[in-house]
Structures are given as structure tokens and as C-alpha cells.
Amino acid sequence: MNDHPSSGPVTPDSRALGGVIPPLCTPLTEDRELDVGSLERLCGFLLDAGVDGLFVNGSTGELAYHTDALRLAALRVVRRVAGGSVPVLAGAVDMTTNRVIAQARAARDAGADAVVATVPFYSPTHPGEMADHFRAVRDAVELPLWAYDIPGNVQRKLPAQVAAGLAGDGVLAGLKDSSGDLDELRTLLELTEANGARAAGFAVLTGSETMADTGLALGADGIVPGLGNVDPHGYVALHWAARRGDVKEAVAEQARLRRLFALTRVGDPARIGTYSAAIGAFKEALCRRGVIATATTPLPMRPLSDQERTEVGRHLTEAGLGPV
Amino acid sequence: MNDHPSSGPVTPDSRALGGVIPPLCTPLTEDRELDVGSLERLCGFLLDAGVDGLFVNGSTGELAYHTDALRLAALRVVRRVAGGSVPVLAGAVDMTTNRVIAQARAARDAGADAVVATVPFYSPTHPGEMADHFRAVRDAVELPLWAYDIPGNVQRKLPAQVAAGLAGDGVLAGLKDSSGDLDELRTLLELTEANGARAAGFAVLTGSETMADTGLALGADGIVPGLGNVDPHGYVALHWAARRGDVKEAVAEQARLRRLFALTRVGDPARIGTYSAAIGAFKEALCRRGVIATATTPLPMRPLSDQERTEVGRHLTEAGLGPV
Amino acid sequence: MNDHPSSGPVTPDSRALGGVIPPLCTPLTEDRELDVGSLERLCGFLLDAGVDGLFVNGSTGELAYHTDALRLAALRVVRRVAGGSVPVLAGAVDMTTNRVIAQARAARDAGADAVVATVPFYSPTHPGEMADHFRAVRDAVELPLWAYDIPGNVQRKLPAQVAAGLAGDGVLAGLKDSSGDLDELRTLLELTEANGARAAGFAVLTGSETMADTGLALGADGIVPGLGNVDPHGYVALHWAARRGDVKEAVAEQARLRRLFALTRVGDPARIGTYSAAIGAFKEALCRRGVIATATTPLPMRPLSDQERTEVGRHLTEAGLGPV
Amino acid sequence: MNDHPSSGPVTPDSRALGGVIPPLCTPLTEDRELDVGSLERLCGFLLDAGVDGLFVNGSTGELAYHTDALRLAALRVVRRVAGGSVPVLAGAVDMTTNRVIAQARAARDAGADAVVATVPFYSPTHPGEMADHFRAVRDAVELPLWAYDIPGNVQRKLPAQVAAGLAGDGVLAGLKDSSGDLDELRTLLELTEANGARAAGFAVLTGSETMADTGLALGADGIVPGLGNVDPHGYVALHWAARRGDVKEAVAEQARLRRLFALTRVGDPARIGTYSAAIGAFKEALCRRGVIATATTPLPMRPLSDQERTEVGRHLTEAGLGPV
């Protein structure tokens, strides 16, 4: 797998950004305020596990649910705890260009090392306008800009052809692929290999919890798994196995993490696929592991039932994950 | 039509809100700043035509494209020009509850008479959480709350059953239906007739430019047509014809407005359905009618081509609409 | 409503086809063979109620579930009972052109007065190929050809522009609209009024059970309601009220039929929207009314539960429908 | 890759079915009749290249476009040429159970070694009914039954959980995955490993042209690539490289085939994704390679333009594929 032609002889530090970069959960107090102590502990837990970066205000970080003030407060805490040891990426997600620019500037001022933005959403957008959008954001904010390709949330996919063009022009520093479309991911890697963007440092990360080993095998530089909040050691082990070409070990670790991911599908079938099920489970697991103080989720997410919480606990036990 | 069993003997002022309530375009200067003079003229143009309310920061008002500051500046101008003569509704559209509450409070402070909010978007949401969302917003802001049902933009429809429950509980003052689903609109009217919400003042508006007469025939209280920026007199005539039961006249006016609506479908087929095509055409038409100064649209919308602009002019001419 | 400009002074026989044309259920014995006696009784029941045509092997007739032999056997029974008193339309639904031609020829030989075909399905098709498809079917079979616009089942909508062109060229004799898109229905009526197809006899039917009055008000010539199997008298009354311009009566009848339609939504929520729920309910209701012998549905449809059957009975009682 | 835990020490003949099984194109004469000579040559070309089976009347074989008679004639030719040297799978694709049973019986009588069927389509189906469907088909026809998971064509995915249950019960002999969802493919492999179905011979094939190496790496037994008509030697080489664990070689071959696959995306962008573009290109390429006599496609497919045909030729040249 280390022979993969589009990844070349990668060493862990040969890219500006790669490896395991968890999208942090945003711990809340029972009053639904930012729980600073829990967030500090979560950062410490992840850094101790050996992650390569921290992504704050991603979808797993409940970006859609928090006010600008809470988003920025979380970013400042993460920035402070990271202390420059690893890069901090911050979501600058909003509906369209001007609003994204406002988010990105605020994130820059709060200490982000890079910002992450989606294609425009809410209003139907002409494909050509997607590129203009990223160009305008990049022009307005002096920070590396990452594209966040998450069509399930924003309705439209950033085509690999468009992303590759932006990478070739230096507009995009990287892309986080949460589309689940590994064929397009591969096309993006091929196109950016061909146009020189990869050689110039353009990085590609996969957001998949369950196909992370495959994404790395295809040439991705790193992984951004929501489940990495709960088991960062697992994803760090998976990543290093893949990097050193130990496919058997990477696949075995991925298989274990695939089973653990079932904690996002406990309880009411009507709820599967919602964010309150997935994020509720991540937070419940972090509580049970002693990392954060409460599993509180923001409005209007409904909390897990007692039975669902017990199921989450069972999945932790089966994965061999206890209190830390 | 005046015999419609679910509308009862309606007189124009028997509801808190009904009639023609255009979703205002947001005129911009060539530098893409708010064009206050043009917005004042647009408000005056609409009020002179006899509209019954003004809806600012709706989708047609480019809500997705503007910063909070520009949104509020537009609202203040509209508030000032309206001067209490008609109610001013303001969009409080953002991804989820806490962000909507922030938008709604700012709109209230800037003088909105009512706020309009969608179901949560971006993050997949459990159906039961939609109701919790509106309840939490209503509890947090002392203003009438309207639901904005626009699944094409936010991916999820507010089910008629859920909306009716919220109307029955007094959480919702009204609903703007931009779903295009007239069957569900009718179900909502039936359910809110049955649970007493209609008698208590719950209002239903249709956002359709092209089926406004049908929506009124089904019992809707009013219409919120984006094309009403361009031809408010037409929609006011349509509305009054429908109200006095003159179906023939309402249908004839609607037929004329259906032809005019083709101005949103000029030019490049790949562009049809995008907001830059529709809003670009509305603004071009308002320029040609002398109401606003420029047809500038916000980033990343691409402007109409010269040929598309000419086509818009042709549609205006065919509809008998000249400078005002 | 009788003044609607696109319907004109219509009399019941001024069109080749219009009025109430139920899509017949296909009664089965307990062994899942065609129940000829029940089908004869169903035809008689509908004809006695005053329907204007019979549509056999439509979606409600379980076209997707039956072999060619059973489809044709049903058509022959209906043909025989109708005896020329009303026209018999037959579904010639299959994936693509050659298979549709085979179906259409067999239907012609079995006595159909007209055949009804969808756009190609299964394989993704270029829009221009849709028109070629209908042209080829029409060329191959000497029978009036109807388009069956049912995008929920075949994934693609027949655009009004394409249908109008085919109507103008005499390829299509009519169209049954099961899309639920009343705006497009109206566009089709406008375009075929403008190109002379309406004047030449092109007919438009709506397949909606719940918006039949609105479809007629917009100018449709008739209705094809699955629920018309259960309550043909109701739809005949609705149709005649609409035709003579008695909107109040049409709306009242539609309101009653809307309540009755809830019999398709009894029981398990996961089942709502499936054909086994809707057709199971129609057949159960026809059993309870004494028209057919069993509520048997074809494989792999699961039968209604006893509780669901009881619910269907309750809806019949509330609608005042007893044994005939 | 040969260490993949869910594939075990596989040898080429340890499964009833695996390896490269192209879904055959169906060559037509200029009169759109079956071109028997060309089909014989195509079979010979594929067998000479070393394929492990032949799949006739798949989607690439234009199953949706051909009459029952032509489908069976093609199957008989393939059966005859194969002569027992490799297994012949035949599509038995139709809308629902009874129609599929009729197709499957006819295919059995024409000499198929196994039949391949999709979930029900056209009529919306309850998930539980999908399993009943396959059980009924299996009970009715004494042949191995394969599931054909192709949600892009039939609107619904066969859930891995349902497929695994059917595999565990011996209803399904295998599954062809044309969903593009590699995560679900992996889940199916995990579930059928866990329930013993894999050990009992349940086989999984991927239908992807462009991610075949990844599918094999995840544990799939074989590949069913439409492009394999054009370059069977390439897919055989890819398959054997993957089987012997030479990832570098498999990836390099896949990269070459990914570039070649661009021949399905030549010409008019509005046409990309349609079957007339993809199958038209495969047939054009087979003509240019001298395998079949004409590139004729069935109604209503529009032929490639001269420019598109030239583009196909260019892709062949770039891939080093000349006349055979």
C-alpha cells in the first residue's frame, strides 16, 4: 500500500497537514453553555493519543447549532490548549460567500491556522459560482483555505474537476471529503497529481469513520473521523499501520472501529442518521470514558434515552474502551 | 370561490396578516453595499401598489448572501419607510435553534413585526425535533413567529401535521408555503380549521408566483410572490379578484403573470433554477422599470449576460410593464 | 370556475375522452389467480355509478406485479363487460420502446381502445430520447397513445414542453398526470391550448384522488382516481359538480373524499406510501362493500393486519359507504 | 492485500463463481435485430482473454431495451459459445415477483447457469417485501439466484442486512453490487462472513469499472465491468494482480482503465450518465477493435455523433487498444 503510485514515499511530516485530525465534539454544561474544562480535557486526551491536528467547529462540533460567540469561544480554548503543537483548523461554515468571509475572519482573529468552508448552500447555485465562492473567500482572508465537501448536509457536491482547478491555482490548501464517494476522491487525487497541486502541498483528508483505511490506501493524506473523539488511539494506530504499509494491521483496526461505530445506530430506527443520534452517542461515550462531564447536546437535539445510553456503554465495552 | 368552505366569509382586514406581501429584493450599489435609496423607492413602489405587508430578508431578499449587518440595515430601512402602515415580516433564517434565536432577537430590535424561520437545516434532524425548534424560538422571542416551509432550500418539509400542532398551540402565527405542494397546503388548512387555529388567527400564505390564484382558491390568506417586486399591481389585482370571487379575472391575471415569470428562465439552460438567474432577472426588471439603480447581485452570483438582460426587457414589454 | 378560459363550455361528450375513468383494481382469488367474477362485478359497479371510461392495467391495477397473461386476461374481461359502452384504456407499461410496443400490440389485440405508456425507465435516458420513444410506439401501434406521467414510479418527469410537442404533432392523444405537479399540469394545458392540440382533441386527465377538483378547475378533462374503485359515485358527483360550475359542491365532495383517502394510511407508519398499503386498503374496502370476493394482493405485497383492516372499515363507515 | 482478513487464502477456483465476469454487450444489426455473428465473436474475444464467466442480459446488455424474444436469443447464443467452459449468468430483470419468475424460468430453459434479479421496482415496496420477493423467486426456479443491487436504476438499495439474511438462509447464491457504495459492500462481506454464508459459498461481485481493485481489496470475489467488453485483458490482468497480492500492479492497471473509462463521457455534457452515451461508446469501441460489426443501439437511444465516435477512438489509442 506504501507503493501506491499517487501517494509516493510519504513520511509523516512531509505534508503541511495530514494524519489524524479529529473533528472535535463541543462539550456543553447542563445549561448548554460551553464546558471549558471538558473541552480542555478532550483536547488533552486527543493530543496525548498522538493526533496530528484538531478541527474545531466541524459538523461533529455541532457548528449548525451554536452561536458565533460559542463557536469562537470553543476555538479559543482549542487554540490555547494546542499551543502550536499541532495545527488547528476551524470551520467557517455559513450559507454563502459574505457570511463565510465573516466567519473566516473571526476564526482567523481567534487563532485558527486554517479555515474550512463548504460550497454555498440554502440557495441553488450555478456550478461555476462554486469556484467563484472559494476564490472570493481566499482573497478576503489571509489563511489557508480548505474545502469541506459534505453534500449530504449542503445538497451539492463540489465536483472533483472544480476542486482540482482551485487546488492547481493555489486557492485551496486542502479538501476534507465527507461525501462518501471514494471514486470521486480518487479522481481528485489523480487530477491534483496531474496538475502539480499535490506536489505543491495540496492535501486531501477523508471524513469517513468506516472507510478510513481505504481512503488512505487510495492516497489520502489523513483522516477526520468523528469517532476519533471517542477512540483516538484506534485511529492513530490505523493511520500508522497504513503509513508503514501494514495493510493487515490497518484493516484489522478498521474492522474493530467499524464495529464500534455501531454506537451511532442504537435505539429508535427513525432516529438513525440524525445528528442527535450520532453526536449524542459520541458525547455519551466521552462521558463514560471520563473525558467530558455531561452528554448535553444543544437545542433542538433530543437526548438519548436511558436504554440508548446503555447500548452505547455496551459498544464501548465490546471495543475494550474504559475510563481514561 | 368566496363560498370555499375552509375560508369562510373573509374580508380584507379580518386577519392579522394576509393579502399580498412581497418578499423584497435587496438592492445593492455597484460596490455591493446596501443601496438605501433604491430600497426606499422599492418600498414606496410596493406600498403605492397596495400591498398588505412587506417581507424583508426572505430568500428572494438574498438572505443567504448577506451579512447580519446588511440584513439588519435593510430591515431598518423597510421598517422606516413602512412606518407602521403595513406589517413588516423579517426572515430569521439560520441553521438551527440558537442561531435562529440570535437572528430573531436582532430582527425584533430592528423593528420587525414578526419573524419567519425555517426548520433546522445543514444537520439531519429528527422530525420530532422540528417542533421543539419552533417552540424554543417562540419561547425566546416575544414576536409572532411564522414558519417558512421551503424544502427545496432546506432539504426537509415541515409536515402539515407538525405545523398544525404548533398552530393549535399558538406557537406559530402563520406559515409561508414555498414547497409547491398544494395538497399538503390544503391538508394544513383542513387541520388548522379543525383544531381551531384558523379561527384564532393562524394565517397561511403561499409563496408561489405561478399558482397564487389556486392557493387563494384553496383558502390561503395571501401570497408572497418574488415576482411581486416587479409587478405588484398585477398581484394586488389578482388577490382582489380572488377575494371578491371573480375567478375569471383572477385566472386571467394569473395567466398574464405566468407568462411574465418566464423572465426567470432566460438564457443558459444550465442556469435555470439558480438564484442568480431568478434574482438577477427581478433586479434587471426593477432597473428597467426605474425602481432601483443597479441590478447588482451579491457574490458569488454571476450577473446576467447582455443577451439575457435583453430577454428580460422583452418579457417586460410583452407584459405591458414600462418605467414607473 | 366554469368560466375557466382553458376549459371552455365543455359538455360531457365533446371530447374523445374525459370525465371519471377509474384505474381498475385487479381482483385476485385466494390462489392469486385473476378473479373473473369479482372483476366483472367491479366493472359493473363502476359503470352503474356512471363512469366515463375504464383504465385497466394501471399502477393501481398492479401492472408491475402481474404476468403478461394475467394483464391480458384482465383486459379481456373489462373489454367484454364494457361492451363498447365506454372506452377502455389499457396500460402498456414496460421499461423501454420495444417492450412497450410488444405490450401495446398485445393490448390492441385484446381489445383496448387506447394504450397508456410511461417514459423509459430502469436505464437513464436522454431527455430527447423520451420524445423518440413515444414516436416509435405510436408508429408501431395503430391505437391512440396516452402518456402516463408518473415520475414517482419511473424516476423521470415527462416535461410539459416535450409532451406538448408530441401532442401538437398528433403523437399523443392524451396524458394522465400522476406527478402531483399542478403547476406543470397548467403549463401543459397552456402549451397545448397555444399549439392547437387541445382544439384537436388532446385530453388531459389528473390521477390525483385528493386534488381532483383543483385539476378540473385548472382545465383538466377528467380524473383517474384509484380511490374511485371504492367510491365511484363520489367522484362522478365531484366531476359533474365541477363541470356545471358548482365549485362549492365540488369542493365539499372533494373534502369528503380527502377524508376517505386516509384509508390508505392506516397502520404501520413505515408502510405508508407503499403500494401494499394503498392497494391493500382499496381491495379491503371493495370486499367490505361486497364488490369483490377477497382482498388478496399479489406477491410480494404483505396483506393488511387485522387492525389495519378494521381501520379501513372505520373510514368507510365515516364516509357513509356500506355494502352495495 | 492477500492478507485481507475477510477474503482469506483464496485460490482462483475455490469459489463457485468469481473472477472477471463481463456483462456482455448485445450486438445488433443495422436493422436492430440480434447480430448473432458479432455476439459469437464477442464471446470468443472474452473467453480468449480469460474471463471466468459471462453475464448476459445485464444492464450493459440493454436488458431494458429488448423484447423477451431477443433476450432469450442472446442467451442461447452465449450458452452455445460458452459450451460449459465458464458459467453463464442471465439477467431475469423485471418489475416484480411474478414477472421475474417468468423471466427466470425462460432463462433456465434457455440454458442459464444462474439468474440475476433486482429488488422490485416501479411500485414503491415495503422493505420487508424485498426479502419475500427473493424468497419467492428462489422457490419458483431451480437455479442459483443472484441479487443485482443497482439502486440508480431501480430507486431502492437492497440493504446489506437484508441481503446477508437471504445469503445466510441459502436463498441467494451471490450478489452483484452496482450501488457504488463500498461501505455497504464491506458491511455485506462482514455480515456474511459472520453468519457463515461466505464459508458456504456466497459470492460478492462488484460492478464498478473504476474501483474494481478496491472492491477486490475489500474482499469481493470478482468484478463485472461493462468496460470489460472493450478491454477484457485489462480486467483479467487487474484481477490476477489483486489475487496474487500485487497491489502496485493492480492499482496501475486500474489507473489505466480509469483513463479509458472516459470514453463513456465524450461529447454533449447533457448526455453524460445516460445509457446511450455509455453503451454507445462500448459498442463503438468494439467496432473499432473489430469484434462486432456495427455500433447500432436499440430504440430510443440516439447514436453517437461523428465527433463523439472520433473521441472514443482517441481514448482507445491512448489506452493502446487496437484491432484484434
Side-chain angles (χ1 to χ4, degrees):
Chain A
M1 209 65 94
N2 51 346
D3 294 323
H4 195 294
S6 61
S7 62
V10 173
T11 59
D13 49 7
S14 73
R15 295 264 178 210
L17 208 47
V20 180
I21 306 173
L24 276 79
C25 285
T26 304
L28 301 180
T29 65
E30 291 188 355
D31 296 336
R32 296 203 177 91
E33 302 294 334
L34 181 67
D35 180 344
V36 173
S38 287
L39 181 54
E40 290 170 343
R41 280 193 302 279
L42 175 59
C43 292
F45 173 60
L46 299 174
L47 292 171
D48 288 351
V51 302
D52 303 284
L54 296 172
F55 176 29
V56 64
N57 295 323
S59 303
T60 300
E62 304 163 345
L63 73 85
Y65 297 85
H66 294 308
T67 60
D68 290 352
L70 199 147
R71 286 180 177 187
L72 292 173
L75 170 54
R76 285 194 196 95
V77 171
V78 174
R79 173 78 238 164
R80 176 164 48 76
V81 179
S85 62
V86 299
V88 174
L89 283 75
V93 175
D94 212 316
M95 291 174 245
T96 311
T97 312
N98 288 328
R99 298 183 66 82
V100 171
I101 290 171
Q103 294 284 332
R105 286 177 173 158
R108 177 200 57 197
D109 296 346
D113 295 307
V115 289
V116 186
T118 70
V119 299
F121 54 96
Y122 187 85
S123 296
T125 295
H126 187 275
E129 295 168 346
M130 289 183 185
D132 296 350
H133 167 72
F134 285 108
R135 288 182 196 282
V137 173
R138 182 65 186 82
D139 285 348
V141 186
E142 284 307 304
L143 268 190
L145 175 62
W146 285 63
Y148 194 174
D149 188 28
I150 187 164
N153 287 20
V154 301
Q155 301 196 52
R156 286 165 196 85
K157 189 162 192 340
L158 177 61
Q161 198 79 38
V162 175
L166 293 167
D169 293 347
V171 174
L172 293 180
L175 179 141
K176 183 204 166 187
D177 175 27
S178 296
S179 72
D181 187 337
L182 290 163
D183 201 331
E184 275 277 287
L185 174 70
R186 194 167 185 171
T187 300
L188 175 64
L189 289 163
E190 290 166 347
L191 293 172
T192 50
E193 197 74 32
N195 73 4
R198 295 281 289 160
F202 176 74
V204 177
L205 310 176
T206 171
S208 177
E209 277 94 354
T210 50
M211 297 292 280
D213 60 340
T214 303
L216 293 170
L218 291 170
D221 301 285
I223 55 182
V224 189
L227 185 64
N229 285 277
V230 175
D231 189 4
H233 302 83
Y235 283 101
V236 169
L238 186 164
H239 174 252
W240 277 105
R243 276 288 164 255
R244 71 177 176 264
D246 186 344
V247 174
K248 185 171 177 177
E249 175 62 24
V251 168
E253 192 63 32
Q254 181 67 84
R256 192 183 63 80
L257 291 162
R258 284 174 66 86
R259 286 191 296 274
L260 177 60
F261 194 62
L263 57 74
T264 64
R265 293 187 294 263
V266 299
D268 179 7
R271 190 165 181 162
I272 292 173
T274 66
Y275 267 49
S276 57
I279 295 179
F282 292 159
K283 288 189 161 180
E284 176 66 24
L286 284 167
C287 275
R288 286 175 180 258
R289 300 203 72 189
V291 179
I292 69 174
T294 83
T296 308
T297 47
L299 289 173
M301 287 192 197
R302 291 186 172 180
L304 298 191
S305 68
D306 285 350
Q307 186 192 328
E308 290 168 332
R309 297 173 57 238
T310 302
E311 283 283 295
V312 170
R314 188 176 60 73
H315 282 291
L316 284 181
T317 303
E318 287 178 12
L321 299 179
V324 294
Chain B
M1 207 68 87
N2 51 347
D3 293 325
H4 195 295
S6 62
S7 64
V10 173
T11 59
D13 49 7
S14 74
R15 295 264 178 208
L17 208 47
V20 181
I21 305 172
L24 276 80
C25 284
T26 303
L28 301 180
T29 65
E30 292 187 356
D31 296 338
R32 296 203 177 91
E33 301 293 333
L34 182 66
D35 180 344
V36 173
S38 288
L39 181 54
E40 289 170 344
R41 281 194 300 279
L42 175 59
C43 291
F45 173 60
L46 299 174
L47 292 171
D48 287 352
V51 303
D52 302 283
L54 296 171
F55 176 31
V56 64
N57 294 324
S59 303
T60 300
E62 302 163 348
L63 72 86
Y65 298 84
H66 294 307
T67 60
D68 290 352
L70 199 148
R71 286 180 176 186
L72 292 172
L75 170 54
R76 285 194 197 95
V77 171
V78 174
R79 172 78 240 167
R80 176 166 48 77
V81 179
S85 63
V86 299
V88 175
L89 283 75
V93 174
D94 212 314
M95 291 175 243
T96 310
T97 312
N98 288 329
R99 296 183 68 82
V100 171
I101 289 171
Q103 294 282 333
R105 285 178 174 157
R108 177 199 58 197
D109 296 347
D113 294 308
V115 289
V116 186
T118 70
V119 298
F121 55 98
Y122 188 85
S123 295
T125 296
H126 188 276
E129 295 169 345
M130 289 183 184
D132 296 351
H133 167 72
F134 285 109
R135 288 181 196 284
V137 173
R138 182 66 187 82
D139 285 349
V141 187
E142 284 306 304
L143 268 189
L145 175 63
W146 285 64
Y148 194 173
D149 188 28
I150 188 163
N153 287 21
V154 300
Q155 300 197 52
R156 287 166 194 85
K157 190 164 193 333
L158 177 61
Q161 197 80 37
V162 173
L166 292 167
D169 292 348
V171 174
L172 293 180
L175 179 142
K176 183 202 166 188
D177 176 28
S178 295
S179 72
D181 186 338
L182 290 163
D183 201 331
E184 273 278 289
L185 174 71
R186 194 168 186 170
T187 299
L188 176 64
L189 289 164
E190 290 167 346
L191 292 171
T192 50
E193 197 75 32
N195 73 4
R198 295 282 288 161
F202 177 74
V204 177
L205 309 177
T206 171
S208 177
E209 276 94 356
T210 49
M211 297 291 280
D213 60 339
T214 302
L216 293 169
L218 292 171
D221 303 285
I223 54 183
V224 189
L227 187 62
N229 285 277
V230 177
D231 189 5
H233 302 84
Y235 282 101
V236 168
L238 186 164
H239 174 252
W240 279 104
R243 275 289 164 256
R244 70 178 178 264
D246 186 342
V247 174
K248 185 172 178 176
E249 175 61 23
V251 168
E253 192 63 31
Q254 181 67 83
R256 192 182 63 81
L257 290 162
R258 284 175 67 86
R259 287 190 296 273
L260 177 59
F261 193 62
L263 58 74
T264 63
R265 292 187 294 262
V266 298
D268 179 8
R271 189 165 180 162
I272 291 174
T274 66
Y275 267 50
S276 58
I279 294 178
F282 293 160
K283 286 189 161 179
E284 177 65 24
L286 284 167
C287 276
R288 285 174 180 260
R289 300 204 71 190
V291 179
I292 69 174
T294 84
T296 309
T297 46
L299 289 173
M301 287 192 196
R302 292 187 171 179
L304 299 191
S305 68
D306 285 350
Q307 186 192 328
E308 290 169 331
R309 295 173 58 237
T310 304
E311 282 283 295
V312 169
R314 189 177 59 75
H315 282 292
L316 284 180
T317 304
E318 286 178 12
L321 299 180
V324 294
Chain C
M1 209 69 88
N2 52 345
D3 293 326
H4 194 295
S6 61
S7 63
V10 173
T11 60
D13 49 6
S14 72
R15 293 267 177 205
L17 210 45
V20 180
I21 305 173
L24 275 80
C25 284
T26 303
L28 300 180
T29 65
E30 290 188 357
D31 295 336
R32 295 204 177 91
E33 302 294 333
L34 182 66
D35 180 345
V36 174
S38 287
L39 181 53
E40 290 170 344
R41 281 194 301 279
L42 176 58
C43 290
F45 173 61
L46 299 174
L47 293 170
D48 288 352
V51 302
D52 302 283
L54 296 171
F55 176 31
V56 64
N57 294 324
S59 303
T60 300
E62 302 163 348
L63 72 86
Y65 298 85
H66 294 308
T67 60
D68 290 352
L70 199 148
R71 285 182 177 185
L72 292 172
L75 170 54
R76 287 195 196 95
V77 171
V78 173
R79 172 77 240 168
R80 175 164 50 77
V81 178
S85 63
V86 299
V88 174
L89 283 76
V93 174
D94 212 315
M95 290 173 244
T96 309
T97 312
N98 289 328
R99 297 183 67 82
V100 171
I101 290 172
Q103 294 283 333
R105 286 179 174 157
R108 177 199 59 196
D109 296 346
D113 294 308
V115 289
V116 187
T118 69
V119 298
F121 55 97
Y122 188 85
S123 295
T125 297
H126 188 275
E129 295 168 345
M130 289 184 186
D132 296 349
H133 167 72
F134 285 109
R135 289 181 195 283
V137 174
R138 182 67 186 82
D139 285 347
V141 187
E142 283 306 304
L143 268 190
L145 175 62
W146 285 63
Y148 194 173
D149 189 28
I150 187 163
N153 287 20
V154 300
Q155 300 197 54
R156 286 164 194 84
K157 190 164 192 335
L158 177 60
Q161 197 79 38
V162 174
L166 293 167
D169 292 347
V171 174
L172 293 181
L175 180 142
K176 183 202 166 189
D177 175 28
S178 295
S179 72
D181 187 336
L182 291 162
D183 200 331
E184 274 278 287
L185 174 70
R186 194 168 187 170
T187 299
L188 175 64
L189 289 163
E190 291 167 346
L191 292 172
T192 50
E193 197 75 32
N195 73 4
R198 295 282 289 160
F202 177 74
V204 178
L205 309 177
T206 171
S208 176
E209 277 94 354
T210 50
M211 298 292 280
D213 61 339
T214 303
L216 293 169
L218 291 171
D221 301 285
I223 55 183
V224 189
L227 187 62
N229 285 278
V230 177
D231 189 4
H233 302 84
Y235 282 102
V236 169
L238 186 164
H239 175 252
W240 279 105
R243 276 289 165 254
R244 71 178 177 263
D246 187 342
V247 175
K248 184 171 178 176
E249 176 61 24
V251 168
E253 193 63 31
Q254 181 67 84
R256 192 182 63 80
L257 290 162
R258 285 174 65 86
R259 286 190 296 274
L260 177 60
F261 193 63
L263 57 75
T264 64
R265 291 187 295 263
V266 299
D268 179 6
R271 190 165 179 161
I272 292 174
T274 66
Y275 267 49
S276 58
I279 294 179
F282 292 161
K283 287 189 162 179
E284 175 67 25
L286 284 168
C287 275
R288 288 177 178 257
R289 299 204 71 188
V291 179
I292 69 173
T294 82
T296 308
T297 46
L299 290 174
M301 287 191 195
R302 293 187 170 179
L304 298 191
S305 68
D306 286 350
Q307 186 191 330
E308 289 168 331
R309 297 173 58 237
T310 303
E311 282 284 295
V312 170
R314 188 176 59 75
H315 282 293
L316 284 180
T317 304
E318 287 177 12
L321 299 178
V324 293
Chain D
M1 207 69 89
N2 52 346
D3 294 322
H4 194 293
S6 61
S7 63
V10 173
T11 61
D13 48 7
S14 72
R15 295 266 177 208
L17 208 46
V20 179
I21 306 172
L24 275 80
C25 284
T26 303
L28 301 180
T29 66
E30 291 188 357
D31 295 337
R32 296 203 177 92
E33 302 295 333
L34 182 66
D35 181 343
V36 173
S38 288
L39 181 53
E40 290 169 344
R41 281 193 301 280
L42 176 58
C43 291
F45 174 60
L46 299 174
L47 292 170
D48 287 351
V51 303
D52 302 284
L54 296 172
F55 175 31
V56 64
N57 295 322
S59 303
T60 300
E62 304 162 348
L63 72 88
Y65 297 84
H66 294 308
T67 60
D68 290 352
L70 200 147
R71 286 180 177 186
L72 292 173
L75 170 53
R76 284 194 198 96
V77 171
V78 174
R79 172 77 238 166
R80 176 166 48 80
V81 179
S85 64
V86 299
V88 175
L89 283 75
V93 174
D94 211 315
M95 291 174 244
T96 310
T97 312
N98 288 328
R99 297 183 67 82
V100 172
I101 290 171
Q103 294 284 334
R105 287 178 174 157
R108 178 200 57 197
D109 296 346
D113 295 308
V115 289
V116 187
T118 69
V119 298
F121 55 96
Y122 188 85
S123 295
T125 296
H126 187 276
E129 295 168 346
M130 289 184 186
D132 296 350
H133 167 73
F134 285 108
R135 288 181 195 282
V137 173
R138 182 66 187 81
D139 285 347
V141 187
E142 284 305 306
L143 268 189
L145 174 63
W146 286 63
Y148 194 174
D149 189 28
I150 187 162
N153 286 20
V154 301
Q155 300 196 52
R156 286 165 194 84
K157 191 166 191 333
L158 177 60
Q161 196 80 38
V162 174
L166 293 167
D169 292 348
V171 174
L172 293 180
L175 180 142
K176 184 203 166 189
D177 176 28
S178 295
S179 72
D181 187 337
L182 291 163
D183 200 331
E184 275 277 287
L185 173 71
R186 194 169 188 170
T187 299
L188 175 64
L189 290 164
E190 290 166 347
L191 292 172
T192 50
E193 197 74 35
N195 72 5
R198 295 281 288 159
F202 177 73
V204 177
L205 309 177
T206 171
S208 177
E209 277 93 357
T210 49
M211 296 291 280
D213 61 339
T214 303
L216 293 169
L218 292 170
D221 301 286
I223 54 182
V224 190
L227 186 63
N229 285 277
V230 176
D231 189 5
H233 303 83
Y235 283 102
V236 169
L238 186 164
H239 174 251
W240 279 105
R243 277 288 165 258
R244 70 176 177 266
D246 187 342
V247 175
K248 186 171 176 177
E249 175 62 23
V251 168
E253 192 62 31
Q254 181 67 83
R256 192 183 63 81
L257 291 162
R258 285 175 66 85
R259 287 191 295 274
L260 177 60
F261 194 63
L263 57 75
T264 64
R265 292 187 294 263
V266 298
D268 179 6
R271 191 167 181 160
I272 292 173
T274 66
Y275 267 49
S276 58
I279 294 178
F282 292 160
K283 287 190 161 179
E284 176 65 24
L286 284 168
C287 275
R288 287 175 178 258
R289 300 204 71 189
V291 179
I292 68 175
T294 83
T296 309
T297 46
L299 289 172
M301 287 192 196
R302 294 187 170 179
L304 297 192
S305 68
D306 285 350
Q307 187 191 329
E308 290 168 332
R309 296 173 59 238
T310 303
E311 283 282 296
V312 170
R314 189 176 58 74
H315 283 292
L316 284 180
T317 304
E318 287 178 11
L321 299 179
V324 293

